[in-house]
Amino acid sequence: MAVSKPSPMLPAPASDKGLRAGSLGLVGNVVIGLSAVAPAYSLAATLGYVVAEVGTKAPAMFVLAFIPMLLIAFAYRELGEDTPDCGTTFTWATKAFGPWIGWMGGWGLAVSAIIVLANVAEIAAIYLFKFLGLESLADNLLVKVGVGCFFIIAMTWVSIRGILISERMQNVLIAVQFGVLIVASVIALVKVGFDKAGPQAISPSWDWLWPSGVTSSQLAAAIILCIFIYWGWDACLAVGEETKDSTKTPGRAAVLTTLILVCTYVLVAYAVQSFAGFGETGIGLNNPDNADDVLTILGDPVAGVVMSSLLLLTVSISALSSTQSTILPTARGTLSMAVYQALPRRFARIHPKYMTPAFGTAVMGGAALFFYLVLALASEDTLGDSVSSLGLAVAFYYGITAYACVWYFRRTLFVSLRNFLMRGLFPLLGALAMTWAFVQSSIDMIKPDYGSTSFGGIGGVFILGVGMLVLGIPLMLLCVAGGREFFSGRSLNAGTEVKVPDVY
């Protein structure tokens, strides 16, 4: 039976927020998750720094970081099956712990999106210029900031136009990313195997998968970096209400996305380490000039100028893809918060034609644009440190989600072995891992020599990471006056039924 749509000018009831239900299948949902992660950009920006921390053990770090991600994906899947809601962390944490923690969980997700949007937009511009051979423009602050701003505005517009056009665009972009990464990695490993990679190459070793000899501080720093390269798969759940079989498909897509990512990352890490080696000159991974991008510099040595150009284009496409797919889940999070009266009612407005949270999407794009302009014009070092701080926000809201799973299902944990593992033990272990990573990294980041900036003897990475989270407290207090139904626990609580919308 068809259901009537709510007025686009008023918040929809919890059972039907006005989104285009049933638009995505399993493949489309996985594509959204993968594109939000931006694997090519994430590897280019992070692999060198992981190697700098742990040497040959980078593949082990990818596997170690994958384990808590998989455990937390189980928590997302269980909560998504029980309460399929585009608010994800906000909704589930509110039902488990109440409105205050729930609101801060939603803010943690928004913070991570704002930080990453500012960075991926600029990366998309820089690598596009490099692909076009316009190196001078890639180093011109005003030009790259201008193009970065254009990308944020353009991808915000695409997100407003609807989930279907977003999925179709992402299908193409994600195919290019994985195609180039896998082909380049296979060629590199084949050349190493046939001793055609050059004197700097080394034979791959199974020992790279075992984290022996890594200190706790090195481990924490590497894991926080790896959290960044995995972050984004939870976009699968944020578009769950627009997915077919929304109680099952998003959770499966989240688990599948993390599995695809770990396999890809380990393959690329092995290929890069084997081909480049660990020398301090040339393409060696211990050459400090290569730390900020050990991926694209291998293009020409691996397969000539064509592969070099393809890798540059792939990183640009990856960042551009993430710019758009990061806006999607965050705007839907603000939609859910507005529906339950945790944000002003305007955030619950649905575009009458495109059936998207147009106002929330525009606000998220605008917030990212403002953040980008402030940091980019302040200094490149400050913008770079914001990426390092991203792991804190991600660990914060992932941890809250996993703890919420354990507490929300606490009365049924011992009903079956499956419940105990999937709703209790696994999410709890994931939550504890995120807590450890957050605390240990905060201790390390507070030191003035951590990152590229410091203020008053405190590391700039710590100030940006913790400061952005703390900013949520006064913003939450501003929302209290207009959200008494929410903050008193009447509009959303443990007993609130969140129904799955019918397909229009």
Side-chain angles (χ1 to χ4, degrees):
M1 179 182 297
V3 293
S4 59
K5 300 190 187 85
S7 167
M9 299 301 291
L10 296 173
S15 59
D16 183 0
K17 299 182 181 69
L19 299 170
R20 191 183 296 276
S23 299
L24 300 175
L26 177 62
V27 173
N29 201 286
V30 170
V31 166
I32 293 293
L34 290 174
S35 60
V37 173
Y41 156 64
S42 298
L43 282 167
T46 308
L47 179 54
Y49 293 105
V50 176
V51 170
E53 290 289 346
V54 298
T56 62
K57 305 299 183 178
M61 297 301 102
F62 291 152
V63 174
L64 281 179
F66 160 74
I67 294 172
M69 287 296 166
L70 181 63
L71 299 178
I72 289 169
F74 287 141
Y76 269 80
R77 185 184 67 181
E78 295 300 311
L79 289 165
E81 288 184 2
D82 179 87
T83 309
D85 189 276
C86 61
T88 60
T89 297
F90 157 76
T91 305
W92 302 329
T94 300
K95 288 171 72 71
F97 300 127
W100 302 95
I101 294 179
W103 201 98
M104 286 302 297
W107 172 248
L109 192 155
V111 163
S112 59
I114 291 170
I115 291 174
V116 80
L117 280 169
N119 286 276
V120 293
E122 177 162 298
I123 290 296
I126 290 173
Y127 278 85
L128 178 61
F129 287 136
K130 288 182 177 180
F131 167 72
L132 297 173
L134 304 173
E135 297 284 346
S136 60
L137 293 182
D139 296 328
N140 186 301
L141 177 63
L142 293 180
V143 172
K144 67 183 178 183
V145 168
V147 175
C149 290
F150 168 76
F151 282 153
I152 292 176
I153 294 169
M155 292 301 101
T156 301
W157 177 79
V158 171
S159 298
I160 290 173
R161 287 295 302 270
I163 193 70
L164 289 177
I165 188 175
S166 299
E167 182 204 6
R168 290 164 186 160
M169 185 183 76
Q170 296 297 350
N171 285 339
V172 175
L173 298 182
I174 208 69
V176 172
Q177 281 188 70
F178 278 89
V180 173
L181 285 175
I182 292 172
V183 169
S185 297
V186 170
I187 293 175
L189 288 171
V190 168
K191 282 194 169 184
V192 171
F194 284 94
D195 199 23
K196 301 293 185 181
Q200 83 291 336
I202 58 176
S203 298
S205 171
W206 290 111
D207 183 64
W208 295 351
L209 289 171
W210 185 252
S212 56
V214 178
T215 68
S216 61
S217 290
Q218 289 175 322
L219 184 64
I223 292 297
I224 279 291
L225 287 168
C226 291
I227 286 174
F228 164 67
I229 72 168
Y230 280 109
W231 172 71
W233 56 263
D234 49 304
C236 299
L237 282 296
V239 296
E241 292 184 65
E242 295 154 277
T243 302
K244 299 170 185 175
D245 192 5
S246 60
T247 59
K248 300 288 185 182
T249 301
R252 293 170 181 165
V255 174
L256 183 58
T257 298
T258 57
L259 290 170
I260 292 172
L261 288 171
V262 70
C263 293
T264 304
Y265 289 159
V266 170
L267 171 66
V268 174
Y270 261 84
V272 170
Q273 290 189 176
S274 300
F275 193 95
F278 292 88
E280 297 181 356
T281 59
I283 62 173
L285 297 181
N286 286 328
N287 183 345
D289 294 334
N290 300 336
D292 59 352
D293 182 359
V294 299
L295 182 62
T296 63
I297 60 170
L298 296 184
D300 191 45
V302 168
V305 67
V306 173
M307 182 57 70
S308 178
S309 297
L310 282 175
L311 281 171
L312 290 171
L313 180 61
T314 297
V315 174
S316 179
I317 285 174
S318 177
L320 184 63
S321 172
S322 181
T323 304
Q324 192 265 326
S325 55
T326 300
I327 294 172
L328 285 177
T330 315
R332 280 149 181 78
T334 61
L335 164 66
S336 182
M337 293 178 78
V339 164
Y340 297 114
Q341 302 177 48
L343 284 179
R345 294 165 65 90
R346 290 190 66 185
F347 284 90
R349 292 182 178 180
I350 297 296
H351 195 285
K353 179 179 179 181
Y354 304 129
M355 299 175 70
T356 59
F359 179 79
T361 303
V363 169
M364 278 309 306
L369 194 64
F370 175 77
F371 182 81
Y372 173 42
L373 285 171
V374 169
L375 292 193
L377 296 178
S379 77
E380 285 295 298
D381 289 339
T382 304
L383 185 63
D385 279 354
S386 71
V387 177
S388 301
S389 73
L390 177 65
L392 292 180
V394 176
F396 175 77
Y397 85 83
Y398 275 175
I400 286 179
T401 306
Y403 283 124
C405 180
V406 178
W407 188 250
Y408 182 70
F409 292 117
R410 65 191 182 280
R411 294 185 178 87
T412 59
L413 290 182
F414 299 101
V415 170
S416 66
L417 178 61
R418 181 200 176 281
N419 278 10
F420 174 73
L421 294 175
M422 296 297 181
R423 297 181 171 185
L425 182 60
F426 291 165
L428 179 60
L429 292 175
L432 291 174
M434 289 297 108
T435 302
W436 170 80
F438 183 92
V439 173
Q440 182 64 54
S441 295
S442 295
I443 293 172
D444 293 335
M445 288 175 179
I446 203 169
K447 300 172 184 176
D449 58 348
Y450 192 103
S452 303
T453 60
S454 64
F455 303 92
I458 299 175
V461 176
F462 177 87
I463 292 174
L464 283 168
V466 175
M468 286 291 284
L469 289 173
V470 172
L471 178 63
I473 296 176
L475 292 177
M476 178 174 61
L477 295 177
L478 287 175
C479 294
V480 170
R484 294 177 182 175
E485 289 291 313
F486 171 74
F487 287 100
S488 64
R490 291 194 292 270
S491 63
L492 180 61
N493 53 59
T496 302
E497 291 289 336
V498 181
K499 300 178 182 178
V500 183
D502 293 338
V503 177
Y504 296 126

